[in-house]
């Protein structure tokens, strides 16, 4: 990418090439589409041939993503109010379009039905690039028309405009969380490959909402099941803390505000030797992948920042040989990775997400000096959606 600056420090926009939508080397994923465009999706290159694959393989995870985005989202209306007069007015759609939806659902009615457009024949992958498409069926671009007049505080729409000289105010364009549909579809394919070839299992759950933290001693990463996580709308494996988290989200939702938190992801049955030294360390690759998700603010694995409070003797993971003759570690403060290479233990990582910036609490807009209240798709808590 070539970026040049003129004398006042502004980027010469004609020199800039938009890129950054592709991740991976051997299993390479490119996502495409905008929040309120014709559709979203991905192209996967590097999938091995003869892998059984159909839309049903991806719909399970796409439905989980959709369900979670509905549960922790609500749609209100963008309104402008003068600084002398404004009134609270937003609507929340709590209709049950799918089983299990609750009081904290979103009103955007997308089916998120995918179509495999290439790369398969007779239900098997061919080894050629796989294109997966998901149409947008409930675009509401007019809901964002007033945003042409002012930037949303802390939203990527502003920096997109600074860099490219054009911005998609309808849902944030490529910065929208709807971009993650392509990741979810590609991830479903990757999970199937990993499960088939090495028995690897990937699970994610919400471990913190705002200042409410799930104690580590209440979860067992060895025995945790997806059913435990899916048993409640906030995707927390502990029922007691799940209810507390839902109440915490409700408390800010009714005020038109939002909260952030932490998603914990674990990977079990990891093959030995994944990752390479120096710049291609496994944790570095994982960090790049997850930190590109919208709203991420931090990444840690193993003991993370808490490890800085330990001494070396406290932090070291002692090796031993288990009953099957495998070399294991008695503890896992390394998080399953040592020297950038997997050691066969469970990989555990935590990803911090900020509160979503699109809220209905009125800020002062930059250019109009008037109050601005969200009427676009907003999420009081993104976490269960992002752990899907």
């Amino acid at each position: 990418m070539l970026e040049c600056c003129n004398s006042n420090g502004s980027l010469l926009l004609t020199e800039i090439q938009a890129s950054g939508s592709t991740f991976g080397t051997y299993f390479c994923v490119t996502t495409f589409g905008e929040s309120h465009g014709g559709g979203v999706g991905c192209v996967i290159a590097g999938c091995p041939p003869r892998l059984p694959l159909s839309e049903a393989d991806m719909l399970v995870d796409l439905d989980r993503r959709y369900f979670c985005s509905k549960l922790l989202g609500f749609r209100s209306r963008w309104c402008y109010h003068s600084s002398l007069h404004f009134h609270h007015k937003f609507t929340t759609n709590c209709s049950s379009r799918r089983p299990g939806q609750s009081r904290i659902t979103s009103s955007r009615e997308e089916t998120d039905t995918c179509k495999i457009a290439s790369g398969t024949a007779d239900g098997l992958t061919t080894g050629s690039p796989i294109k997966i498409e998901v149409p947008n069926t409930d675009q509401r671009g007019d809901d964002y028309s007033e945003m042409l007049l002012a930037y949303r505080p802390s939203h990527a729409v502003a920096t997109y405009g600074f860099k490219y000289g054009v911005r998609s105010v309808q849902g944030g364009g490529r910065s929208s969380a709807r971009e993650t549909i392509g990741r979810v579809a590609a991830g479903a394919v990757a999970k199937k490959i990993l499960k088939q070839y090495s028995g690897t299992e990937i699970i994610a759950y919400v471990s913190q909402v705002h200042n409410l933290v799930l104690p580590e001693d209440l979860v067992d990463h060895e025995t945790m099941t997806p059913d435990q996580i899916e048993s409640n709308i906030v995707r927390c494996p502990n029922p007691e803390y799940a209810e507390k988290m839902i109440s915490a989200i409700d408390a800010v939702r009714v005020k038109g505000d939002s909260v952030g938190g932490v998603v914990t992801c674990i990977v079990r049955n990891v093959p030995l030797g994944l990752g390479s030294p120096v710049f291609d360390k496994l944790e570095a690759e994982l960090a790049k992948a997850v930190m590109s998700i919208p709203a991420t603010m931090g990444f840690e694995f193993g003991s993370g920042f808490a490890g800085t409070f330990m001494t070396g003797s406290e932090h070291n993971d002692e090796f031993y040989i288990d009953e099957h003759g495998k070399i294991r570690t008695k503890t896992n403060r390394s998080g399953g990775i040592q020297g950038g290479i997997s050691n066969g233990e469970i990989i555990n990582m935590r990803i911090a997400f900020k509160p979503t910036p699109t809220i209905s609490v009125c800020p002062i807009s930059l250019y109009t000096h008037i109050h601005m209240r969200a009427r676009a798709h907003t999420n009081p808590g993104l976490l269960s959606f992002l752990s899907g």
Side-chain angles (χ1 to χ4, degrees):
M1 179 186 296
L2 176 62
E3 298 180 1
C4 300
C5 295
N6 59 20
S7 58
N8 64 9
S10 299
L11 288 172
L12 299 178
L13 301 176
T14 55
E15 303 285 344
I16 297 176
Q17 299 177 358
S19 59
S21 293
T22 299
F23 180 81
T25 302
Y26 301 106
F27 186 88
C28 186
V29 177
T30 301
T31 68
F32 63 84
E34 290 80 31
S35 175
H36 289 260
V40 292
C42 67
V43 176
I44 304 168
C47 181
R50 300 182 300 280
L51 177 76
L53 186 68
S54 68
E55 285 86 352
D57 293 309
M58 286 160 279
L59 282 175
V60 173
D61 284 326
L62 286 172
D63 281 348
R64 289 172 63 230
R65 178 200 173 278
Y66 170 88
F67 178 64
C68 293
S69 68
K70 303 291 278 183
L71 290 173
L72 285 186
F74 70 93
R75 185 187 302 274
S76 42
R77 305 290 297 175
W78 270 99
C79 305
Y80 280 92
H81 308 276
S82 71
S83 57
L84 297 177
H85 174 73
F86 67 93
H87 66 280
H88 180 79
K89 181 179 182 181
F90 68 92
T91 59
T92 303
N93 184 345
C94 294
S95 60
S96 297
R97 195 170 70 85
R98 292 192 179 188
Q101 285 186 267
S102 76
R103 60 190 177 280
I104 44 178
T105 60
S106 167
S107 65
R108 183 168 179 176
E109 299 292 346
E110 294 286 1
T111 60
D112 287 357
T113 301
C114 70
K115 175 186 177 182
I116 299 177
S118 68
T120 62
D122 299 323
L124 299 174
T125 57
T126 63
S128 61
I130 301 170
K131 182 181 181 183
I132 301 167
E133 304 170 336
V134 177
N136 291 334
T137 58
D138 190 31
Q139 305 98 315
R140 301 186 183 184
D142 291 343
D143 283 358
Y144 299 83
S145 58
E146 293 97 339
M147 294 183 195
L148 289 169
L149 304 176
Y151 294 122
R152 279 184 274 175
S154 293
H155 198 281
V157 169
T159 50
Y160 274 46
F162 300 156
K163 182 178 179 70
Y164 299 112
V166 62
R167 57 193 177 102
S168 176
V169 298
Q170 293 83 6
R174 289 291 287 161
S175 66
S176 168
R178 191 154 175 78
E179 179 272 338
T180 62
I181 286 179
R183 303 173 190 240
V184 172
V189 179
K191 285 198 301 181
K192 185 165 187 173
I193 296 172
L194 290 170
K195 188 73 173 179
Q196 177 173 315
Y197 284 87
S198 60
T200 302
E201 185 180 18
I202 303 169
I203 299 177
Y205 63 92
V206 174
S207 55
Q208 178 180 336
V209 168
H210 198 206
N211 56 8
L212 184 64
V213 182
L214 174 67
E216 291 186 4
D217 59 358
L218 293 184
V219 293
D220 185 347
H221 289 170
E222 296 278 357
T223 60
M224 181 185 297
T225 66
D227 286 343
Q228 288 177 297
I229 299 170
E230 301 292 337
S231 64
N232 57 76
I233 65 175
V234 79
R235 302 179 61 79
C236 174
N238 182 275
E240 178 184 352
Y241 272 81
E243 288 302 316
K244 293 179 180 179
M245 290 176 179
I246 293 169
S247 296
I249 295 171
D250 273 338
V252 297
R253 178 182 64 86
V254 296
K255 299 175 183 177
D257 214 336
S258 63
V259 291
V262 175
V263 169
T264 296
C265 179
I266 64 171
V267 188
R268 298 190 290 219
N269 298 321
V270 181
L272 287 165
L274 296 181
S276 300
V278 193
F279 295 114
D280 294 330
K281 290 182 176 181
L282 180 56
E283 69 269 31
E285 297 288 354
L286 292 172
K288 181 177 181 180
V290 298
M291 287 299 290
S292 65
I293 298 172
T296 50
M297 296 297 288
F299 170 86
E300 61 179 0
F301 75 102
S303 63
F305 289 103
T308 63
F309 295 101
M310 299 180 179
T311 63
S313 58
E314 292 171 328
H315 192 273
N316 285 344
D317 294 320
E318 184 180 345
F319 289 105
Y320 75 101
I321 298 177
D322 68 10
E323 64 273 19
H324 304 292
K326 295 177 59 178
I327 297 177
R328 300 285 306 278
T329 60
K330 292 183 178 180
T331 54
N332 191 25
R333 299 183 186 94
S334 299
I337 305 171
Q338 293 170 329
I341 299 172
S342 62
N343 63 6
E345 300 295 333
I346 292 176
I347 293 176
N348 66 79
M349 49 190 164
R350 293 167 298 282
I351 305 94
F353 291 88
K354 69 177 182 179
T356 183
T358 307
I359 56 178
S360 57
V361 175
C362 287
I364 299 293
S365 63
L366 177 62
Y367 294 122
T368 57
H369 302 291
I370 54 179
H371 282 294
M372 186 167 58
R373 185 180 298 278
R375 75 166 180 171
H377 183 151
T378 65
N379 297 281
L382 286 168
L383 297 170
S384 77
F385 154 51
L386 293 166
S387 66

